[in-house]
Amino acid sequence: MGTELKFEYQLLANNMREKIQSGELEQGQRLSSIRQFAAQHQVSLNTVKSCYTLLEAQGWVEAKEKVGYFVKAQPISKELNLPQHPDFTATAKAVSNLDLQIQIQQAAINSQLIQLGSIQLSPNLIPVQALRRSVQRALKHAKPEDFLYSNRQGHASLRQALSKHWAEDGFFIAPAQIYISNGCMPALSVVLQNLTEIDDAVIVPTPNYNGQLQLLALLKRKIIEIPANTQGFDLARLEHAMQQPNAKVCLLTANYQNPLGFCLSHTQKEQIAKLAEKYQCFIIEDDIYAECSYAQNRPLPIQYWDQAGYVVYCGSVSKSLSSAYRVGWFCLPERLQYLHAKIILQNVIVNTPLQLGLADLIRSRAYRRHLNQLKPILKKQVEAYRVCIDQAFSGVSFGLNQPAGGYVLWLQLPEHIDSIKMYNFAQTQGINIVPGVVFGEDSRYNNCIRLNAGHELSQEIRQAIQCLADWVKQKLS
């Protein structure tokens, strides 16, 4: 287990946030001045300034010039019907729809389409200047050996920076266990190929991220599906699946899963770690959305409770920083260190300047500042999308998830709405969406679509959502 490290200003900010959420500090209430707060808590003025700046970036307080800091009014999320998901019993089977998966992936990178499908942040939310400064600074201070072939495990500077960054979030992974990859999907691919063989089964909750299913299909692995909903999935089903003889690993996202957005509780994560140990079934944990939490503290991963070495922790900065910044990682527990030599040969060397730039971004705390600023923006933006969808689909019976992190929306429409036909129509209108049918087998989610809320809700996107709603209403009539 990791040990939690926090700066004093973060602890103070966390305490104030809890008081705001509990109502002890009321909306509109004026807060103590910086000097008063410093005297009350016996801290420095700079600590108080950092505390207030963090709360302001997260949207909890607002500064009024020459007046002081005040508790900021919080938007109230409208309660909408949540999607309903079918119950089923699944056995190991091959992933179908591979051709459709590839077609949709190609459409996702078409910049000419309105991007409501591919899950990525708006360019306006990427700290370009901070990235540029970090890359320039990293190159300025680079050593001569940094311009030779780099360590296939990843540059030591980045592995150390990541280890310290995670320790600040409450969990510890040693730099020696971290392997740098060209994004999260290449990380998952390397791990899957070393822990499973062709025709082995991988346990996945569904609906599940279609990119993972595409990867499993390309690797010729089968899947055992577990029914999931916006609250998570049944751990009893997970345990039953682990007992099947051809089930070798579980591929799980515990924090803000794509596409449902659920975040498992600490108790559930601990239970999963214990089940992995009990049945000697490895967990490949894709934690790519954890840093997009709307709360100050990112949720802990399953890895935090892994004492026996059955969790392989994976992730990248593609969802929290930039989809173009292809730097990810996987972390091998001691139990799997015997694979080191084989994995080193399979792992593709990652561009050294990119690694050094990201290491500097983390060490300089520019990445932390970016995350603190991003979280309240995402929360507000996702809620704006939900309100827009509610208005556009007025009169239609639908279900919509309400994530507490990330920016993935899962929209369930009336049963006889065909998401493939909807996808094809959207393409003709210059709109990209992802049909629900590719998130699982047996056409269970054919009346669902996944939407990206990572871009600002522009007038163009509003019109695109209205266009989709009008098509649905026409089909229903």
Side-chain angles (χ1 to χ4, degrees):
M1 290 189 186
T3 56
E4 188 169 3
L5 302 177
K6 289 289 179 187
F7 290 98
E8 193 165 22
Y9 78 90
Q10 291 178 301
L11 295 172
L12 290 170
N14 189 45
N15 184 48
M16 290 191 68
R17 177 179 59 81
E18 290 176 353
K19 289 181 178 180
I20 294 171
Q21 290 177 313
S22 67
E24 184 177 341
L25 291 175
E26 298 179 352
Q27 296 183 11
Q29 181 176 335
R30 184 176 180 175
L31 301 175
S32 301
S33 69
I34 290 176
R35 290 189 180 277
Q36 289 172 335
F37 194 99
Q40 290 167 358
H41 295 271
Q42 297 182 333
V43 295
S44 69
L45 296 178
N46 284 335
T47 297
V48 181
K49 288 177 182 176
S50 296
C51 169
Y52 279 178
T53 298
L54 176 58
L55 288 168
E56 185 178 17
Q58 294 177 338
W60 295 105
V61 307
E62 57 184 339
K64 296 182 180 180
E65 191 174 358
K66 297 181 181 180
V67 179
Y69 287 90
F70 294 79
V71 178
K72 189 175 181 179
Q74 299 298 312
I76 300 175
S77 297
K78 180 178 179 180
E79 288 194 13
L80 303 174
N81 291 329
L82 294 173
Q84 300 298 310
H85 295 281
D87 190 11
F88 59 89
T89 301
T91 55
K93 64 188 305 184
V95 177
S96 60
N97 291 323
L98 181 56
D99 291 340
L100 181 60
Q101 298 269 16
I102 294 172
Q103 175 192 332
I104 290 170
Q105 186 181 55
Q106 291 172 338
I109 60 175
N110 185 348
S111 60
Q112 303 303 311
L113 297 175
I114 299 172
Q115 288 301 331
L116 278 172
S118 180
I119 306 302
Q120 54 185 331
L121 285 175
S122 162
N124 297 326
L125 296 178
I126 298 170
V128 177
Q129 294 302 323
L131 269 172
R132 181 179 290 118
R133 286 192 296 269
S134 284
V135 172
Q136 290 173 342
R137 191 161 50 230
L139 289 176
K140 180 180 179 180
H141 298 291
K143 300 175 182 178
E145 55 266 31
D146 290 331
F147 296 94
L148 301 175
Y149 285 120
S150 62
N151 184 341
R152 297 185 76 98
Q153 185 173 344
H155 200 286
S157 177
L158 177 56
R159 290 187 284 120
Q160 290 165 3
L162 285 170
S163 179
K164 290 181 180 179
H165 178 72
W166 296 332
E168 189 177 322
D169 285 323
F171 63 102
F172 179 76
I173 301 177
Q177 295 178 293
I178 302 172
Y179 294 71
I180 305 302
S181 63
N182 281 284
C184 190
M185 293 303 289
L188 297 179
S189 179
V190 170
V191 176
L192 281 164
Q193 290 180 74
N194 279 276
L195 295 184
T196 63
E197 297 178 355
I198 290 175
D199 287 334
D200 280 346
V202 177
I203 302 168
V204 294
T206 55
N208 188 75
Y209 170 44
N210 60 304
Q212 290 181 353
L213 297 182
Q214 179 182 327
L215 173 63
L216 292 170
L218 291 170
L219 294 178
K220 298 181 180 178
R221 270 57 170 178
K222 296 179 179 178
I223 60 171
I224 299 175
E225 298 176 284
I226 300 173
N229 56 43
T230 54
Q231 305 304 311
F233 53 89
D234 187 349
L235 298 192
R237 297 285 187 93
L238 176 65
E239 181 173 12
H240 177 73
M242 285 180 170
Q243 297 175 55
Q244 297 192 27
N246 59 343
K248 301 302 180 182
V249 301
C250 303
L251 180 53
L252 304 178
T253 296
N255 297 319
Y256 316 125
Q257 184 253 18
N258 176 1
L260 298 180
F262 63 73
C263 183
L264 300 182
S265 68
H266 286 179
T267 300
Q268 291 171 315
K269 293 171 187 174
E270 183 176 13
Q271 288 175 341
I272 290 172
K274 289 179 178 178
L275 287 174
E277 178 181 3
K278 179 179 179 180
Y279 295 102
Q280 300 181 0
C281 182
F282 285 95
I283 305 292
I284 304 175
E285 182 176 14
D286 180 351
D287 202 32
I288 198 169
Y289 290 100
E291 293 192 314
C292 297
S293 167
Y294 304 156
Q296 176 187 354
N297 298 326
R298 65 172 283 172
L300 291 168
I302 300 170
Q303 187 278 339
Y304 175 82
W305 286 273
D306 177 35
Q307 296 182 327
Y310 282 98
V311 177
V312 182
Y313 183 75
C314 304
S316 85
V317 294
S318 64
K319 303 307 178 186
S320 57
L321 184 63
S322 168
S323 55
Y325 211 94
R326 307 308 302 167
V327 177
W329 50 80
F330 55 95
C331 306
L332 290 187
E334 289 294 334
R335 180 177 292 277
L336 292 176
Q337 283 300 315
Y338 72 92
L339 292 172
H340 173 83
K342 182 180 177 183
I343 282 179
I344 283 294
L345 292 176
Q346 292 177 314
N347 198 30
V348 178
I349 296 176
V350 180
N351 182 305
T352 299
L354 285 182
Q355 293 190 63
L356 293 175
L358 180 57
D360 182 272
L361 192 77
I362 295 171
R363 283 199 309 269
S364 68
R365 303 199 63 76
Y367 182 54
R368 182 70 66 182
R369 289 193 294 272
H370 160 68
L371 293 177
N372 289 337
Q373 293 168 0
L374 178 66
K375 291 175 181 180
I377 294 174
L378 285 181
K379 179 181 180 181
K380 183 178 180 181
Q381 191 165 284
V382 168
E383 186 55 31
Y385 269 78
R386 295 180 76 250
V387 171
C388 179
I389 291 169
D390 182 41
Q391 293 171 345
F393 285 84
S394 176
V396 176
S397 176
F398 69 89
L400 184 64
N401 67 329
Q402 185 174 351
Y407 40 100
V408 181
L409 289 175
W410 181 252
L411 176 61
Q412 182 181 54
L413 298 163
E415 284 189 11
H416 56 281
I417 295 296
D418 188 326
S419 64
I420 294 294
K421 291 180 180 178
M422 190 174 183
Y423 165 78
N424 290 328
F425 165 77
Q427 292 280 307
T428 67
Q429 304 301 305
I431 305 168
N432 184 42
I433 61 173
V434 182
V437 70
V438 297
F439 291 87
E441 289 299 305
D442 299 329
S443 298
R444 295 189 191 97
Y445 313 108
N446 195 39
N447 62 325
C448 302
I449 61 171
R450 190 196 66 184
L451 300 173
N452 170 50
H455 290 263
E456 298 89 345
L457 187 57
S458 63
Q459 186 60 30
E460 182 183 50
I461 290 179
R462 287 181 181 275
Q463 291 172 351
I465 291 173
Q466 187 62 59
C467 178
L468 298 175
D470 291 343
W471 181 85
V472 169
K473 291 176 183 178
Q474 182 183 22
K475 292 298 178 183
L476 292 175
S477 66

